[in-house]
Amino acid sequence: MISFILMVNKQGQTRCSKYYEWLPMEERTALEAEIIRKCLSRSELQCSFIEYRGYKTIYRRYASLFFIVGTRPDPLSIENGSGVGGENRENELGLLEFIHNLVEIMDKWAGSICELDIMYQLEEVHFILDEMVMNGFIVETCKGATLRPIDLLERESRKGEAMFK
């Protein structure tokens, strides 16, 4: 289960964060700062997986942005006894592929995704994430199906602007 998704620039400033489990704000900011610091300090020759404070963190750098996905063992599998000792059984390579798919979808939506696209169109970025991930589980990976609602919203907003001219 995905616990959080972060989009961070090279200076360590969070540009977008999406959490799928509740954490107090103080804990969120501390966790973000520590995980971002660990990801930024690693070299390109090191692997893209980190285990830290019970989270399995998978990250990938695209141009000046880091895309970070944090997972934790599914609480329902631990309660039902099907989880092996609370072990996080998420597939790291599958989540790397998810990050790549997310970047491809954002590239198709914004041309070539950059930090400014995320900052100035944060609502659309959250729409894309909402279409792809629901309650911490990946529900959609198709580019067309993910971008269709955003395309419809953009068309409707253009119609609304035309009415008031």
Side-chain angles (χ1 to χ4, degrees), residues 10-106:
K10 286 192 291 190
Q11 288 77 33
Q13 299 166 324
T14 304
R15 294 304 179 198
C16 178
S17 66
K18 184 86 171 175
Y19 285 83
Y20 298 99
E21 67 177 28
W22 188 84
L23 288 172
M25 190 54 78
E26 300 81 28
E27 191 175 334
R28 276 186 189 193
T29 54
L31 180 70
E32 273 185 35
E34 293 166 5
I35 287 179
I36 289 168
R37 196 173 315 114
K38 287 203 174 285
C39 290
L40 293 177
S41 67
R42 293 171 67 90
S43 74
E44 291 183 20
L45 299 175
Q46 292 176 304
C47 76
S48 298
F49 316 132
I50 301 172
E51 291 206 21
Y52 183 72
R53 282 180 48 181
Y55 290 93
K56 187 184 292 184
T57 306
I58 296 92
Y59 70 95
R60 186 120 186 230
R61 180 179 171 194
Y62 286 93
S64 65
L65 287 171
F66 282 84
F67 291 81
I68 304 170
V69 175
T71 66
R72 202 171 217 180
D74 187 9
L76 295 177
S77 67
I78 295 170
E79 291 172 8
N80 296 336
S82 60
V84 183
E87 180 181 336
N88 190 340
R89 298 171 53 181
E90 288 291 334
N91 183 346
E92 296 92 350
L93 295 177
L95 287 172
L96 266 178
E97 187 63 32
F98 165 74
I99 292 171
H100 184 71
N101 191 21
L102 173 65
V103 171
E104 282 183 341
I105 288 172
M106 293 176 85

Side-chain angles (χ1 to χ4, degrees), residues 110-157:
S112 179
I113 192 71
C114 67
E115 187 178 346
L116 292 175
D117 293 325
I118 293 172
M119 288 173 53
Y120 292 121
Q121 297 174 331
L122 188 61
E123 188 173 290
E124 285 87 353
V125 172
H126 278 282
F127 285 155
I128 291 172
L129 287 173
D130 289 342
E131 288 293 322
M132 294 182 75
V133 181
M134 186 176 294
N135 290 336
F137 296 99
I138 299 170
V139 294
E140 186 63 68
T141 57
C142 177
K143 293 176 191 166
T146 302
L147 291 174
R148 190 171 301 119
I150 293 161
D151 184 45
L152 290 172
L153 282 171
E154 288 176 356
R155 283 188 206 169
E156 285 301 314
S157 69

